[in-house]
Amino acid sequence: MTDGQRVPAVGDTVQDTALDRVGVVLGYEGPHLRLCPINGGRYWDVDPAAVRPIGPAEYLLAHLRAVNTRSRRRL
């Protein structure tokens, strides 16, 4: 995160710029943020400096990708 940005709150959806993944903030683990994929799954820890908030269009796109992935797994 750059100077002047607010610290993400639990439940916020953010972009992990280091891994190019979108995740939901679960909380903090020491100095790191703990993120979880939108459609559930294994969490990961990320440096707060490597996340950025996402806009409404990115949020909808991430959810659409999660729904599509989930539907393909059921085939």
Side-chain angles (χ1 to χ4, degrees):
M1 298 189 65
T2 60
D3 292 337
Q5 283 184 332
R6 73 176 185 86
V7 176
V10 172
D12 285 353
T13 304
V14 296
Q15 173 83 32
D16 176 351
T17 59
L19 297 176
D20 194 29
R21 294 177 68 185
V22 174
V24 178
V25 177
L26 297 178
Y28 294 87
E29 184 64 32
H32 294 97
L33 284 173
R34 180 155 287 176
L35 303 180
C36 178
I38 290 174
N39 58 341
R42 187 168 278 239
Y43 65 82
W44 74 97
D45 296 333
V46 62
D47 182 355
V51 299
R52 67 170 184 80
I54 62 172
E58 290 173 299
Y59 178 81
L60 289 173
L61 182 59
H63 275 277
L64 179 60
R65 285 181 180 151
V67 168
N68 285 339
T69 299
R70 197 170 32 236
S71 70
R72 281 192 294 268
R73 289 181 184 158
R74 293 183 183 165
L75 295 179

Coordinates of all heavy atoms in Angstrom, one line a residue:
M1 N 0.8 -1.2 0.0 CA 0.0 0.0 0.0 C 0.9 1.2 0.0 O 1.9 1.2 0.6 CB -0.9 0.0 1.2 CG -1.8 -1.2 1.3 SD -3.0 -1.0 2.6 CE -3.9 0.4 2.0
T2 N 0.4 2.3 -0.7 CA 1.2 3.5 -0.7 C 0.8 4.4 0.4 O -0.2 4.2 1.1 CB 0.9 4.2 -2.0 OG1 -0.4 4.5 -2.1 CG2 1.4 3.4 -3.2
D3 N 1.6 5.4 0.7 CA 1.3 6.3 1.8 C 0.0 7.0 1.5 O -0.3 7.3 0.4 CB 2.4 7.4 1.9 CG 3.7 6.7 2.4 OD1 3.6 5.7 3.0 OD2 4.8 7.3 2.2
G4 N -0.8 7.2 2.5 CA -2.1 7.8 2.4 C -3.3 6.9 2.2 O -4.4 7.3 2.3
Q5 N -3.0 5.6 1.8 CA -4.1 4.7 1.7 C -4.5 4.1 3.1 O -3.6 3.9 3.9 CB -3.7 3.5 0.8 CG -3.7 3.8 -0.7 CD -3.4 2.6 -1.5 OE1 -2.7 1.7 -1.0 NE2 -3.9 2.5 -2.7
R6 N -5.7 3.8 3.2 CA -6.2 3.3 4.5 C -5.8 1.8 4.6 O -5.7 1.1 3.5 CB -7.7 3.5 4.7 CG -8.5 2.6 3.9 CD -10.0 2.8 4.2 NE -10.9 1.9 3.5 CZ -11.1 0.7 3.9 NH1 -10.6 0.2 5.0 NH2 -11.9 -0.1 3.2
V7 N -5.6 1.3 5.8 CA -5.3 -0.1 6.0 C -6.6 -0.9 5.7 O -7.7 -0.5 6.2 CB -4.9 -0.3 7.4 CG1 -4.6 -1.8 7.7 CG2 -3.6 0.5 7.7
P8 N -6.5 -2.0 4.9 CA -7.7 -2.7 4.6 C -8.3 -3.3 5.9 O -7.6 -3.8 6.8 CB -7.2 -3.9 3.7 CG -5.9 -3.5 3.3 CD -5.4 -2.5 4.3
A9 N -9.6 -3.3 6.0 CA -10.4 -3.9 7.1 C -10.7 -5.3 6.8 O -10.8 -5.8 5.6 CB -11.6 -3.1 7.4
V10 N -11.0 -6.1 7.9 CA -11.5 -7.4 7.7 C -12.8 -7.4 6.8 O -13.7 -6.6 7.1 CB -11.7 -8.1 9.1 CG1 -12.4 -9.5 8.9 CG2 -10.4 -8.2 9.9
G11 N -12.8 -8.3 5.8 CA -13.9 -8.3 4.9 C -13.7 -7.6 3.6 O -14.5 -7.8 2.7
D12 N -12.7 -6.7 3.6 CA -12.5 -5.9 2.3 C -11.9 -6.9 1.3 O -11.2 -7.9 1.6 CB -11.4 -4.8 2.5 CG -12.0 -3.6 3.3 OD1 -13.2 -3.6 3.5 OD2 -11.2 -2.7 3.6
T13 N -12.2 -6.6 0.0 CA -11.7 -7.4 -1.1 C -10.6 -6.6 -1.7 O -10.7 -5.4 -2.0 CB -12.7 -7.7 -2.1 OG1 -13.8 -8.4 -1.5 CG2 -12.2 -8.6 -3.2
V14 N -9.4 -7.2 -1.8 CA -8.2 -6.4 -2.3 C -7.4 -7.3 -3.3 O -7.6 -8.5 -3.5 CB -7.2 -6.1 -1.1 CG1 -7.9 -5.2 -0.1 CG2 -6.7 -7.4 -0.4
Q15 N -6.6 -6.6 -4.1 CA -5.7 -7.2 -5.0 C -4.3 -7.4 -4.4 O -3.7 -6.5 -3.9 CB -5.6 -6.3 -6.3 CG -4.5 -6.8 -7.3 CD -5.1 -7.8 -8.2 OE1 -6.3 -7.8 -8.5 NE2 -4.2 -8.7 -8.7
D16 N -3.8 -8.6 -4.4 CA -2.5 -8.9 -4.0 C -1.6 -8.7 -5.2 O -1.6 -9.5 -6.2 CB -2.4 -10.4 -3.5 CG -0.9 -10.8 -3.2 OD1 0.0 -10.1 -3.4 OD2 -0.8 -11.9 -2.6
T17 N -0.9 -7.6 -5.3 CA -0.1 -7.3 -6.5 C 1.1 -8.2 -6.7 O 1.6 -8.3 -7.8 CB 0.3 -5.8 -6.5 OG1 1.1 -5.5 -5.3 CG2 -0.9 -4.9 -6.5
A18 N 1.6 -8.8 -5.6 CA 2.8 -9.6 -5.7 C 2.4 -10.9 -6.4 O 3.2 -11.5 -7.2 CB 3.3 -9.9 -4.3
L19 N 1.2 -11.5 -6.1 CA 0.8 -12.8 -6.8 C -0.2 -12.6 -7.8 O -0.7 -13.5 -8.4 CB 0.3 -13.7 -5.7 CG 1.3 -14.1 -4.6 CD1 0.5 -15.0 -3.5 CD2 2.4 -14.9 -5.2
D20 N -0.7 -11.3 -8.0 CA -1.7 -11.0 -9.0 C -3.0 -11.9 -8.7 O -3.5 -12.5 -9.6 CB -1.3 -11.2 -10.4 CG -2.2 -10.6 -11.4 OD1 -2.9 -9.6 -11.1 OD2 -2.3 -11.1 -12.6
R21 N -3.4 -11.8 -7.4 CA -4.6 -12.6 -7.0 C -5.5 -11.6 -6.2 O -5.1 -10.7 -5.6 CB -4.2 -13.7 -6.0 CG -3.4 -14.8 -6.7 CD -3.0 -15.9 -5.7 NE -4.2 -16.6 -5.2 CZ -4.1 -17.5 -4.3 NH1 -3.0 -17.8 -3.7 NH2 -5.2 -18.2 -3.9
V22 N -6.8 -11.9 -6.3 CA -7.8 -11.1 -5.5 C -8.2 -12.0 -4.3 O -8.4 -13.2 -4.4 CB -9.0 -10.8 -6.4 CG1 -10.1 -10.1 -5.6 CG2 -8.6 -9.9 -7.6
G23 N -8.3 -11.3 -3.2 CA -8.7 -12.0 -2.0 C -9.4 -11.2 -1.0 O -9.4 -9.9 -1.1
V24 N -10.1 -11.8 -0.1 CA -10.8 -11.2 1.0 C -10.0 -11.2 2.2 O -9.4 -12.2 2.6 CB -12.1 -11.9 1.3 CG1 -12.9 -11.3 2.4 CG2 -13.0 -12.0 0.0
V25 N -9.9 -10.0 2.9 CA -9.1 -9.9 4.1 C -9.7 -10.6 5.3 O -10.9 -10.3 5.6 CB -8.9 -8.4 4.5 CG1 -8.1 -8.3 5.8 CG2 -8.2 -7.6 3.4
L26 N -9.0 -11.6 5.8 CA -9.5 -12.4 6.9 C -9.0 -11.8 8.3 O -9.7 -11.9 9.3 CB -9.0 -13.8 6.9 CG -9.5 -14.7 5.7 CD1 -8.8 -16.0 5.8 CD2 -11.0 -14.8 5.7
G27 N -7.9 -11.1 8.2 CA -7.3 -10.5 9.5 C -5.8 -10.3 9.3 O -5.3 -10.2 8.2
Y28 N -5.2 -10.2 10.4 CA -3.7 -10.0 10.4 C -3.0 -11.1 11.1 O -3.5 -11.7 12.1 CB -3.5 -8.6 11.1 CG -4.0 -7.5 10.4 CD1 -5.3 -7.0 10.6 CD2 -3.2 -6.8 9.4 CE1 -5.8 -6.0 9.8 CE2 -3.7 -5.7 8.7 CZ -5.0 -5.3 8.9 OH -5.5 -4.3 8.2
E29 N -1.9 -11.5 10.6 CA -1.0 -12.5 11.2 C 0.3 -11.8 11.3 O 1.1 -11.8 10.4 CB -1.0 -13.7 10.3 CG -0.2 -14.9 10.9 CD -0.8 -15.4 12.1 OE1 -2.0 -15.4 12.3 OE2 0.0 -15.8 13.0
G30 N 0.6 -11.3 12.5 CA 1.8 -10.5 12.7 C 1.8 -9.3 11.8 O 0.8 -8.6 11.8
P31 N 2.9 -9.1 11.1 CA 2.9 -7.9 10.2 C 2.2 -8.1 8.9 O 2.2 -7.2 8.0 CB 4.4 -7.6 10.0 CG 5.0 -9.0 10.0 CD 4.2 -9.8 11.1
H32 N 1.7 -9.2 8.6 CA 1.1 -9.5 7.3 C -0.5 -9.6 7.4 O -1.1 -9.8 8.4 CB 1.6 -10.9 6.8 CG 3.0 -10.9 6.5 ND1 3.9 -11.4 7.4 CD2 3.7 -10.5 5.5 CE1 5.1 -11.3 6.9 NE2 5.0 -10.7 5.7
L33 N -1.1 -9.4 6.2 CA -2.5 -9.6 6.0 C -2.7 -11.0 5.7 O -2.0 -11.6 4.9 CB -3.0 -8.7 4.9 CG -3.2 -7.2 5.1 CD1 -3.6 -6.5 3.8 CD2 -4.3 -7.0 6.1
R34 N -3.8 -11.6 6.1 CA -4.2 -12.9 5.8 C -5.4 -12.8 4.8 O -6.4 -12.2 5.2 CB -4.6 -13.7 7.0 CG -5.0 -15.1 6.6 CD -4.8 -16.1 7.7 NE -3.4 -16.3 7.9 CZ -2.9 -17.1 8.9 NH1 -3.7 -17.6 9.7 NH2 -1.6 -17.3 9.0
L35 N -5.2 -13.3 3.6 CA -6.2 -13.3 2.6 C -6.8 -14.6 2.2 O -6.0 -15.6 2.4 CB -5.7 -12.6 1.3 CG -5.1 -11.2 1.4 CD1 -4.6 -10.8 0.0 CD2 -6.1 -10.2 1.9
C36 N -8.0 -14.7 1.8 CA -8.6 -15.9 1.3 C -9.2 -15.7 0.0 O -9.7 -14.6 -0.3 CB -9.7 -16.3 2.3 SG -10.7 -17.8 1.9
P37 N -9.2 -16.7 -0.9 CA -9.8 -16.5 -2.2 C -11.3 -16.2 -2.1 O -11.9 -16.6 -1.1 CB -9.6 -17.8 -2.9 CG -8.5 -18.5 -2.2 CD -8.5 -18.0 -0.8
I38 N -11.9 -15.5 -3.0 CA -13.3 -15.1 -3.0 C -14.2 -16.4 -2.9 O -15.1 -16.4 -2.2 CB -13.6 -14.3 -4.2 CG1 -13.0 -12.9 -4.1 CG2 -15.1 -14.2 -4.4 CD1 -13.2 -12.1 -5.4
N39 N -13.8 -17.4 -3.6 CA -14.6 -18.6 -3.6 C -14.2 -19.6 -2.6 O -14.6 -20.8 -2.6 CB -14.6 -19.3 -5.0 CG -13.2 -19.6 -5.5 OD1 -12.2 -19.1 -4.9 ND2 -13.1 -20.5 -6.4
G40 N -13.5 -19.2 -1.6 CA -13.0 -20.1 -0.5 C -11.7 -20.8 -0.9 O -11.3 -20.6 -2.1
G41 N -11.2 -21.5 0.0 CA -10.0 -22.2 -0.3 C -8.9 -21.9 0.7 O -9.1 -21.3 1.7
R42 N -7.7 -22.2 0.3 CA -6.5 -22.0 1.2 C -6.2 -20.5 1.3 O -6.0 -19.8 0.3 CB -5.4 -22.8 0.6 CG -4.2 -22.8 1.5 CD -3.2 -23.8 1.0 NE -3.6 -25.1 1.5 CZ -2.9 -25.9 2.3 NH1 -1.7 -25.5 2.6 NH2 -3.4 -27.0 2.8
Y43 N -6.0 -20.0 2.5 CA -5.6 -18.7 2.7 C -4.1 -18.5 2.4 O -3.3 -19.4 2.3 CB -5.9 -18.2 4.1 CG -5.2 -18.9 5.2 CD1 -3.9 -18.6 5.6 CD2 -5.8 -20.0 5.9 CE1 -3.2 -19.3 6.5 CE2 -5.1 -20.7 6.9 CZ -3.8 -20.3 7.2 OH -3.1 -21.0 8.2
W44 N -3.7 -17.2 2.3 CA -2.3 -16.9 2.2 C -2.0 -15.6 2.9 O -2.9 -14.8 3.1 CB -1.8 -16.9 0.7 CG -2.3 -15.7 -0.1 CD1 -1.6 -14.6 -0.4 CD2 -3.5 -15.5 -0.8 NE1 -2.3 -13.7 -1.2 CE2 -3.5 -14.3 -1.4 CE3 -4.7 -16.3 -0.9 CZ2 -4.6 -13.8 -2.2 CZ3 -5.8 -15.8 -1.6 CH2 -5.7 -14.6 -2.2
D45 N -0.8 -15.4 3.2 CA -0.3 -14.2 3.9 C 0.4 -13.3 2.9 O 1.1 -13.8 2.0 CB 0.6 -14.5 5.1 CG -0.1 -15.2 6.2 OD1 -1.3 -15.1 6.3 OD2 0.6 -16.0 6.9
V46 N 0.2 -12.0 3.1 CA 0.8 -11.0 2.1 C 1.2 -9.8 2.9 O 0.6 -9.4 3.9 CB -0.2 -10.6 1.0 CG1 -1.5 -10.0 1.6 CG2 0.4 -9.8 0.0
D47 N 2.3 -9.2 2.4 CA 2.8 -7.9 3.0 C 1.7 -6.8 2.7 O 1.3 -6.7 1.5 CB 4.1 -7.5 2.3 CG 4.7 -6.3 2.9 OD1 4.1 -5.6 3.7 OD2 5.8 -6.0 2.5
P48 N 1.3 -6.0 3.7 CA 0.3 -5.0 3.4 C 0.7 -4.0 2.3 O -0.1 -3.4 1.7 CB 0.1 -4.3 4.8 CG 0.5 -5.3 5.8 CD 1.6 -6.1 5.1
A49 N 2.0 -3.8 2.1 CA 2.5 -2.9 1.1 C 2.2 -3.4 -0.3 O 2.3 -2.7 -1.3 CB 4.0 -2.7 1.3
A50 N 1.9 -4.7 -0.4 CA 1.7 -5.4 -1.7 C 0.2 -5.5 -2.1 O -0.1 -6.3 -3.0 CB 2.4 -6.7 -1.8
V51 N -0.7 -4.8 -1.4 CA -2.1 -4.9 -1.7 C -2.6 -3.6 -2.1 O -2.1 -2.5 -1.7 CB -3.0 -5.5 -0.5 CG1 -2.5 -6.9 -0.2 CG2 -3.0 -4.6 0.7
R52 N -3.7 -3.6 -2.9 CA -4.4 -2.4 -3.3 C -5.9 -2.7 -3.3 O -6.3 -3.8 -3.6 CB -3.9 -1.9 -4.6 CG -4.3 -2.7 -5.8 CD -4.0 -2.0 -7.1 NE -4.4 -2.9 -8.2 CZ -5.7 -2.9 -8.7 NH1 -6.6 -2.2 -8.1 NH2 -6.0 -3.7 -9.7
P53 N -6.7 -1.7 -3.0 CA -8.1 -1.9 -3.0 C -8.5 -2.0 -4.5 O -7.9 -1.6 -5.4 CB -8.7 -0.6 -2.4 CG -7.6 0.4 -2.5 CD -6.3 -0.3 -2.5
I54 N -9.6 -2.7 -4.7 CA -10.1 -2.9 -6.0 C -11.4 -2.1 -6.2 O -12.2 -1.9 -5.3 CB -10.3 -4.4 -6.4 CG1 -11.4 -5.1 -5.5 CG2 -9.0 -5.1 -6.4 CD1 -11.7 -6.5 -6.0
G55 N -11.7 -1.8 -7.4 CA -12.9 -1.0 -7.8 C -14.1 -1.9 -8.0 O -13.9 -3.2 -8.0
P56 N -15.3 -1.4 -8.2 CA -16.5 -2.2 -8.4 C -16.4 -3.1 -9.6 O -16.8 -4.2 -9.6 CB -17.6 -1.1 -8.6 CG -17.0 0.1 -8.0 CD -15.5 0.1 -8.1
A57 N -15.8 -2.6 -10.7 CA -15.7 -3.5 -11.9 C -14.8 -4.7 -11.7 O -15.1 -5.8 -12.1 CB -15.2 -2.7 -13.1
E58 N -13.6 -4.4 -11.0 CA -12.7 -5.5 -10.7 C -13.4 -6.5 -9.7 O -13.1 -7.7 -9.8 CB -11.4 -5.0 -10.1 CG -10.6 -4.2 -11.0 CD -9.4 -3.5 -10.3 OE1 -9.7 -2.7 -9.5 OE2 -8.3 -3.9 -10.7
Y59 N -14.1 -6.0 -8.8 CA -14.8 -6.8 -7.8 C -15.8 -7.8 -8.5 O -15.8 -9.0 -8.2 CB -15.6 -5.9 -6.8 CG -16.4 -6.7 -5.7 CD1 -15.8 -7.2 -4.6 CD2 -17.7 -6.8 -5.9 CE1 -16.5 -7.8 -3.6 CE2 -18.5 -7.5 -4.9 CZ -17.8 -8.0 -3.8 OH -18.6 -8.7 -2.9
L60 N -16.6 -7.2 -9.4 CA -17.6 -8.0 -10.2 C -16.9 -9.1 -11.0 O -17.3 -10.2 -11.1 CB -18.5 -7.2 -11.0 CG -19.5 -6.3 -10.2 CD1 -20.2 -5.4 -11.2 CD2 -20.5 -7.2 -9.5
L61 N -15.8 -8.7 -11.7 CA -15.0 -9.6 -12.5 C -14.4 -10.7 -11.7 O -14.5 -11.9 -12.1 CB -13.9 -8.9 -13.2 CG -13.0 -9.7 -14.2 CD1 -13.9 -10.3 -15.3 CD2 -11.9 -8.8 -14.8
A62 N -13.9 -10.4 -10.5 CA -13.3 -11.5 -9.6 C -14.4 -12.5 -9.2 O -14.2 -13.7 -9.2 CB -12.7 -10.8 -8.4
H63 N -15.6 -11.9 -8.8 CA -16.7 -12.8 -8.4 C -17.2 -13.7 -9.6 O -17.5 -14.9 -9.4 CB -17.8 -12.0 -7.9 CG -17.7 -11.7 -6.4 ND1 -18.0 -12.6 -5.4 CD2 -17.1 -10.7 -5.8 CE1 -17.7 -12.1 -4.2 NE2 -17.2 -10.9 -4.4
L64 N -17.2 -13.1 -10.8 CA -17.6 -13.9 -12.0 C -16.6 -15.0 -12.2 O -17.0 -16.1 -12.5 CB -17.7 -13.0 -13.2 CG -18.1 -13.6 -14.5 CD1 -19.5 -14.3 -14.4 CD2 -18.1 -12.6 -15.6
R65 N -15.4 -14.7 -12.1 CA -14.3 -15.8 -12.3 C -14.5 -16.9 -11.3 O -14.4 -18.1 -11.6 CB -12.9 -15.2 -12.2 CG -12.5 -14.4 -13.4 CD -11.1 -13.8 -13.3 NE -10.8 -13.1 -14.5 CZ -9.9 -12.1 -14.5 NH1 -9.3 -11.7 -13.4 NH2 -9.6 -11.5 -15.6
A66 N -14.8 -16.5 -10.0 CA -15.0 -17.5 -9.0 C -16.2 -18.4 -9.3 O -16.1 -19.6 -9.1 CB -15.1 -16.8 -7.6
V67 N -17.3 -17.8 -9.7 CA -18.5 -18.6 -10.0 C -18.2 -19.5 -11.2 O -18.6 -20.7 -11.2 CB -19.7 -17.6 -10.3 CG1 -20.8 -18.4 -10.9 CG2 -20.1 -16.9 -9.0
N68 N -17.6 -19.0 -12.2 CA -17.2 -19.8 -13.4 C -16.3 -21.0 -13.0 O -16.5 -22.1 -13.5 CB -16.6 -19.0 -14.5 CG -17.6 -18.1 -15.2 OD1 -18.8 -18.4 -15.2 ND2 -17.1 -17.1 -15.9
T69 N -15.3 -20.7 -12.2 CA -14.4 -21.8 -11.7 C -15.2 -22.9 -10.9 O -15.0 -24.1 -11.2 CB -13.3 -21.2 -10.9 OG1 -12.6 -20.3 -11.6 CG2 -12.4 -22.3 -10.3
R70 N -16.1 -22.4 -10.1 CA -16.9 -23.3 -9.2 C -17.8 -24.2 -10.1 O -17.9 -25.4 -9.9 CB -17.7 -22.5 -8.2 CG -18.2 -23.3 -7.1 CD -18.8 -22.5 -5.9 NE -19.4 -21.3 -6.4 CZ -19.1 -20.1 -5.9 NH1 -18.1 -19.9 -5.0 NH2 -19.7 -19.0 -6.3
S71 N -18.4 -23.6 -11.2 CA -19.3 -24.3 -12.0 C -18.6 -25.4 -12.9 O -19.1 -26.4 -13.1 CB -20.1 -23.4 -12.9 OG -19.3 -22.8 -13.9
R72 N -17.3 -25.1 -13.3 CA -16.6 -26.0 -14.1 C -16.1 -27.2 -13.2 O -16.0 -28.3 -13.7 CB -15.3 -25.3 -14.7 CG -15.6 -24.5 -15.9 CD -14.4 -24.1 -16.6 NE -13.6 -23.2 -15.8 CZ -13.7 -21.8 -15.9 NH1 -14.5 -21.3 -16.7 NH2 -12.9 -21.1 -15.1
R73 N -15.9 -27.0 -12.0 CA -15.5 -28.1 -11.1 C -16.7 -29.1 -10.9 O -16.4 -30.3 -10.5 CB -15.1 -27.6 -9.7 CG -13.8 -26.9 -9.7 CD -13.4 -26.4 -8.4 NE -12.2 -25.6 -8.5 CZ -11.8 -24.7 -7.6 NH1 -12.6 -24.5 -6.5 NH2 -10.7 -24.0 -7.7
R74 N -17.9 -28.7 -11.1 CA -19.0 -29.6 -10.9 C -19.4 -30.5 -12.0 O -20.2 -31.3 -12.0 CB -20.3 -28.8 -10.5 CG -20.2 -28.1 -9.2 CD -21.4 -27.4 -8.8 NE -21.2 -26.7 -7.5 CZ -22.0 -25.7 -7.1 NH1 -23.0 -25.3 -7.8 NH2 -21.7 -25.2 -6.0
L75 N -18.7 -30.3 -13.2 CA -19.0 -31.1 -14.4 C -18.5 -32.4 -14.3 O -17.6 -32.8 -13.6 CB -18.4 -30.4 -15.6 CG -19.0 -29.0 -15.9 CD1 -18.3 -28.4 -17.2 CD2 -20.5 -29.2 -16.2

